[in-house]
Amino acid sequence: MSVFDVISLLGGLAMFLYGMKLMGNSLKEGSSGTLKVVMEKVTNSILKAFFLGVFVTAIIQSSTATIVITSGLVAAGIISLKQSLGIIIGANVGTTVTGQIIRLLDVNSEGTSWLEFFKPSTLAPLALIAGVVLIMFLKFNKSNNIGSVCVGFGILFSGLMNMTESVKVLTQSGGFIDHLFGSLGSNPLLGYATGAGVAFVLQSSSATIGILQAFSMAGEIPFGTIYIILVGVYLGDCVTTAIVCAIGAKSDAKRVGIVNILFNLSETVIVVVVVTILHKFGVLDSLWTKNLTPGGIANTNTVFNLGCAILMLPFVGVLEKLSRKLVKDEAVTETVEPDKYGAKIDALNKVFFSTPALALRSCYDILNTMLHAACDNIQNALSLLFEYDEEKAKEIDAEEHSIDRMTDAVSNYMLQLSPFLKEDLHIKILDQYYKDVSAFERLGDHAVNICEVASNLNRDNQKFSEDAKKELRVIFALLDNILDNTKPAFEKRNVEAARHIEPLEEVMDDMINMLHDNHLVRLRDGNCTMKLGIEFVNVLTNLERISDICSGIGVATIARATPGAANLAHSYISSLHQGKDENYNKEYQEAHDVYFTKLEKEM
């Protein structure tokens, strides 16, 4: 054995770990857009939650990621601690899928040519070729993501094969591997500590077991050694998860990590006790000294996790009670008003940074809340111009403070999220969200501006003329129509609703011009004072800016639904205003006729 053999071994290990991380991250990027939605719908059925945990972990190839996501959902109040228990246990079973994939090292293609394709020596280069083609030459939705999964898979198996070859050299050097694992088998406490320590350092049970599988290809590692290392791995991995869940988290979110530790400790006790008893009674005599292959290790890991999960599912209530005893509720020092939007702000959890699609979903949720709050504030402020209510004015002001708080929270969150985004699609979404948060905050400001107009009129004991009120009722109805299309345009990315905004916005501009002219006539005729005239113009100015913001939201929605629309906004608006779109022309004319007819009837 030389230093170069060690370097080769470490290089193979590095390739394996990087390949696993690349594949896992790419799988999360490609699938996590719907994971949060699916996990939010988990019911109080422990069994359904268990299968959900198995499924999600099998998809994203990381029990740590699944449990951290679950912790974030619990922290945000989206699911309860009780609902999370089944997911936690299912995640521990789902992580065994990685070992079942790595068992392909066992494939023997002798006499069967088609099995040759499933050997790592064939799969690795095929996966790398497919990945490079997808990344460099094919451009379609998710092509880079799928390509990265393939490349990660190829690197993972290339690293495994490299490790296996290097370990064979070590084996030939005086039985080093056999001696190493023999000492671990003869000292169960040392074997347990080794499994826990390696899993803790690598922060992955799957990676640790994968390394063990690679070593088993070159050395003779019996079941008696394997099983005690495996139970150590379970503890080492879950400690890391608990630490991540606890950082800056509330009590229930911390309990998610504690429940995971309690389950894995229980699993350790169950496995050790059952295996010891069976071994004492001679049931495992034939298996105890049998050298396990990668497939044998994968099967052992799956049986341990699945068996313990079945035994522990009826006792999840006990785990919950223990977690509540270990992690006390946060002390409440004073009675405060419940925060109307506190849950939305809490949902901006940093644990989602490892799965950016989930972080972006949290951003979307709070942005949607901001939009609805701002629109409601605008409509409440408009009503004050007809009948002033001091309490409603205070509510508008309080709601504006809430919108500002949400603005600060989501802006800071997006700034911290930005370095974690790798996919072009996610970067584009974040760029649009930066614009949206500014737009929604400005909508809230315009509501306050209109409220101030109403407050000024009330303070000075002045009222708009009846003619002015009639005009405002018509233009407010037009604004309501614009807002009613803006909300689904953002919330549901409803392109049809988005297309209705621009013709209505153009009618708004026409009506504002007419109301300006009517206002000047009233001034000349002495039917309006200069003070009232200034406030009337202030209202019109805010209405115009609100409709302009809504137009921008609509165009952004259309751009997101239009492939390759990098600079759609200017060209889209320009073509509409040049009369090149028949549907736009028709909608504009119809809306113009409807609202200007209403205006004529009011006057």
Side-chain angles (χ1 to χ4, degrees):
M1 180 182 70
S2 68
V3 66
F4 300 107
D5 296 322
V6 176
I7 291 173
S8 180
L9 173 63
L10 294 177
L13 175 61
M15 288 175 66
F16 168 72
L17 294 176
Y18 176 73
M20 177 166 283
K21 185 175 181 63
L22 178 62
M23 186 174 73
N25 287 346
S26 300
L27 284 166
K28 282 189 286 182
E29 289 290 321
S31 60
S32 59
T34 56
L35 288 184
K36 185 166 179 276
V37 178
V38 173
M39 292 177 76
E40 286 172 7
K41 297 183 183 300
V42 66
T43 67
N44 285 322
S45 167
I46 291 295
L47 196 58
K48 289 181 180 178
F50 167 74
F51 284 118
L52 178 63
V54 173
F55 171 75
V56 171
T57 306
I59 292 295
I60 65 178
Q61 294 286 289
S62 172
S63 60
T64 299
T66 301
I67 295 170
V68 167
I69 291 169
T70 303
S71 171
L73 296 177
V74 170
I78 295 170
I79 63 174
S80 66
L81 175 63
K82 184 177 181 180
Q83 288 175 311
S84 75
L85 301 177
I87 299 175
I88 296 167
I89 295 175
N92 283 278
V93 176
T95 195
T96 63
V97 170
T98 306
Q100 295 294 347
I101 293 172
I102 295 173
R103 75 177 300 160
L104 290 171
L105 287 169
D106 278 347
V107 171
N108 185 350
S109 63
E110 291 181 10
T112 314
S113 58
W114 62 270
L115 280 178
E116 188 74 29
F117 286 99
F118 292 94
K119 292 185 65 176
S121 57
T122 305
L123 275 179
L126 284 177
L128 289 168
I129 292 167
V132 169
V133 169
L134 283 163
I135 293 171
M136 296 185 65
F137 303 110
L138 299 180
K139 294 299 176 185
F140 58 87
N141 189 27
K142 299 288 185 182
S143 61
N144 279 357
N145 186 268
I146 298 171
S148 295
V149 172
C150 293
V151 169
F153 187 82
I155 293 174
L156 183 153
F157 272 108
S158 295
L160 275 173
M161 290 186 294
N162 201 45
M163 285 171 59
T164 302
E165 291 303 315
S166 300
V167 170
K168 284 180 180 177
V169 175
L170 294 177
T171 305
Q172 294 164 3
S173 304
F176 173 75
I177 298 298
D178 295 340
H179 177 72
L180 171 65
F181 284 100
S183 63
L184 294 179
S186 61
N187 188 337
L189 188 60
L190 179 60
Y192 184 83
T194 300
V198 174
F200 179 78
V201 171
L202 297 182
Q203 299 183 25
S204 171
S205 61
S206 297
T208 308
I209 293 169
I211 293 170
L212 193 59
Q213 288 174 288
F215 273 67
S216 72
M217 286 290 292
E220 297 180 348
I221 312 176
F223 172 84
T225 300
I226 293 290
Y227 101 91
I228 197 65
I229 295 176
L230 286 179
V231 291
V233 168
Y234 303 150
L235 179 65
D237 182 44
C238 71
V239 169
T240 304
T241 306
I243 292 171
V244 175
C245 290
I247 296 173
K250 293 186 175 180
S251 299
D252 270 355
K254 292 177 182 177
R255 289 172 184 140
V256 169
I258 295 299
V259 167
N260 190 38
I261 288 180
L262 291 173
F263 171 77
N264 281 278
L265 282 174
S266 302
E267 183 176 22
T268 297
V269 172
I270 291 170
V271 170
V272 171
V273 169
V274 171
V275 169
T276 302
I277 291 173
L278 292 177
H279 183 47
K280 291 293 183 184
F281 281 92
V283 177
L284 299 178
D285 285 352
S286 60
L287 180 63
W288 195 259
T289 56
K290 181 180 179 181
N291 297 321
L292 296 187
T293 63
I297 295 173
N299 289 340
T300 301
N301 183 36
T302 300
V303 168
F304 284 174
N305 277 281
L306 185 58
C308 290
I310 294 171
L311 287 173
M312 290 299 297
L313 276 174
F315 302 101
V316 290
V318 177
L319 296 179
E320 181 184 7
K321 288 178 182 178
L322 283 173
S323 72
R324 292 190 183 280
K325 287 184 179 296
L326 293 170
V327 179
K328 302 296 183 182
D329 288 318
E330 296 168 352
V332 179
T333 56
E334 58 181 13
T335 302
V336 296
E337 286 292 320
D339 189 344
K340 184 177 179 181
Y341 300 113
K344 294 293 181 183
I345 294 174
D346 288 342
L348 299 173
N349 199 315
K350 293 180 182 178
V351 300
F352 293 144
F353 286 173
S354 61
T355 48
L358 300 184
L360 289 171
R361 174 73 187 195
S362 294
C363 294
Y364 160 80
D365 286 342
I366 198 168
L367 286 170
N368 190 47
T369 301
M370 287 176 60
L371 173 59
H372 280 264
C375 289
D376 290 345
N377 240 18
I378 288 169
Q379 290 167 325
N380 287 331
L382 295 176
S383 69
L384 295 181
L385 295 171
F386 299 106
E387 185 176 349
Y388 189 77
D389 183 332
E390 185 65 35
E391 287 304 312
K392 184 177 282 189
K394 290 179 180 178
E395 290 173 7
I396 291 169
D397 188 58
E399 194 76 345
E400 171 61 15
H401 283 301
S402 294
I403 292 171
D404 287 343
R405 281 186 61 237
M406 288 189 282
T407 298
D408 292 340
V410 74
S411 297
N412 290 332
Y413 186 75
M414 290 192 295
L415 190 64
Q416 295 174 66
L417 169 63
S418 183
F420 293 87
L421 302 187
K422 307 301 178 187
E423 280 197 18
D424 288 341
L425 175 62
H426 290 164
I427 293 170
K428 289 176 182 176
I429 292 173
L430 187 69
D431 288 344
Q432 183 56 50
Y433 283 174
Y434 276 125
K435 297 174 185 176
D436 289 333
V437 71
S438 175
F440 300 165
E441 194 270 338
R442 283 186 286 122
L443 284 178
D445 288 343
H446 289 304
V448 172
N449 294 343
I450 295 169
C451 184
E452 287 177 357
V453 171
S455 179
N456 292 339
L457 294 177
N458 180 68
R459 183 194 62 212
D460 298 337
N461 198 27
Q462 291 188 321
K463 293 182 179 180
F464 289 130
S465 67
E466 287 304 314
D467 285 344
K469 287 181 180 179
K470 290 176 182 178
E471 291 174 342
L472 289 176
R473 285 190 182 94
V474 175
I475 201 168
F476 289 172
L478 174 58
L479 183 67
D480 282 347
N481 197 350
I482 292 174
L483 294 176
D484 286 345
N485 281 289
T486 301
K487 286 182 279 190
F490 177 80
E491 182 178 0
K492 300 177 181 178
R493 274 193 275 171
N494 188 323
V495 176
E496 189 63 29
R499 292 189 187 280
H500 292 322
I501 298 172
E502 190 58 32
L504 293 172
E505 191 275 334
E506 191 67 16
V507 174
M508 173 68 76
D509 289 344
D510 294 343
M511 188 165 286
I512 285 173
N513 289 333
M514 175 175 277
L515 298 193
H516 269 296
D517 293 341
N518 292 349
H519 160 64
L520 292 175
V521 171
R522 286 193 292 272
L523 275 177
R524 286 197 300 268
D525 293 345
N527 295 325
C528 182
T529 66
M530 184 60 70
K531 171 66 176 174
L532 283 171
I534 291 172
E535 298 294 8
F536 186 79
V537 171
N538 282 341
V539 172
L540 295 182
T541 300
N542 280 283
L543 296 181
E544 183 178 20
R545 289 174 181 170
I546 290 169
S547 61
D548 286 341
I549 292 170
C550 292
S551 171
I553 295 168
V555 172
T557 300
I558 296 168
R560 278 193 65 182
T562 307
N567 299 302
L568 177 72
H570 177 73
S571 60
Y572 174 70
I573 298 295
S574 178
S575 67
L576 294 184
H577 291 179
Q578 290 173 19
K580 295 180 179 180
D581 188 308
E582 288 301 321
N583 289 329
Y584 167 82
N585 296 339
K586 182 181 177 182
E587 279 203 48
Y588 163 74
Q589 193 59 54
E590 288 176 351
H592 188 281
D593 292 343
V594 167
Y595 289 101
F596 275 81
T597 299
K598 283 184 179 180
L599 192 60
E600 289 175 8
K601 288 180 179 178
E602 287 287 342
M603 305 307 292

